[in-house]
Amino acid sequence: MIIALAVLAAIVFSLVLFSSSFSPTPARAQSSDSLSGYAWSSNIGWVSFSGANYVVSINPSSGIFSGYAWSSNIGWISFNASTGCPAVPCNARLSGTSVLGWARALSNGDGWDGWIILDGVILNGLNFQGYAWGGDVVGWLQFNPTFGGVSIFSPTPPTISSFTADVYSVPPGGSATLTWAS
């Protein structure tokens, strides 16, 4: 009996530890979510969505993106535009799983500024997929390249709201059903 309880306790502890490190997350941003990773363009190379002094974030209530991404070839890409874009909506925003709107490539000293339309990008789980178009300079910007990818990073760990077992002791060779919600 004591051994069975020890085995059950070890299983419960392992499941609690496992469930606290893995949890399916819905495809929507949380208040502390930001984007991380890299998109790729064959014209301008890698575009970073987070660094030591910059990040692109999504407002959880409006779905509007804000902040800056960085390309060592063209400079800053702003997700703060609310006016002046080629077509509405200007603000880059998450609508369901679709990304709509524009980002603005800012001049890196060469005098070029340009718009990047995000309408070909979707959110699949926590990962962005598809392409944005930035005209002749940026070209196609792939959000899920083979050796990169842009995703939502949420530093908030999941929590377990309930945990039950259908029995309190398990005989050797027996089984128990464990149920939890997070």
Side-chain angles (χ1 to χ4, degrees):
M1 171 93 168
I2 293 175
I3 293 173
L5 286 175
V7 169
L8 179 60
I11 292 170
V12 169
F13 178 76
S14 296
L15 287 171
V16 168
L17 184 63
F18 174 76
S19 67
S20 67
S21 64
F22 173 77
S23 169
T25 304
R28 67 179 195 75
Q30 302 297 319
S31 62
S32 58
D33 286 349
S34 59
L35 304 188
S36 64
Y38 295 86
W40 170 257
S41 164
S42 60
N43 290 8
I44 63 167
W46 294 106
V47 174
S48 172
F49 280 76
S50 62
N53 298 314
Y54 62 94
V55 68
V56 176
S57 299
I58 303 173
N59 180 299
S61 57
S62 67
I64 294 177
F65 289 55
S66 63
Y68 295 89
W70 173 255
S71 164
S72 60
N73 293 311
I74 64 166
W76 295 109
I77 298 174
S78 172
F79 285 81
N80 299 323
S82 60
T83 60
C85 64
V88 293
C90 282
N91 292 99
R93 71 182 67 228
L94 188 59
S95 177
T97 59
S98 298
V99 179
L100 306 173
W102 301 81
R104 178 130 177 125
L106 305 176
S107 175
N108 191 21
D110 63 4
W112 179 81
D113 287 345
W115 291 99
I116 301 169
I117 188 165
L118 302 164
D119 290 2
V121 179
I122 62 165
L123 181 61
N124 183 3
L126 296 177
N127 301 307
F128 288 91
Q129 297 177 337
Y131 293 84
W133 173 250
D136 293 336
V137 174
V138 174
W140 289 107
L141 185 61
Q142 185 180 10
F143 276 69
N144 59 321
T146 303
F147 298 107
V150 179
S151 60
I152 292 179
F153 171 73
S154 178
T156 306
T159 57
I160 295 176
S161 58
S162 67
F163 187 89
T164 60
D166 66 342
V167 295
Y168 292 103
S169 68
V170 180
S175 65
T177 300
L178 305 174
T179 308
W180 67 92
S182 63

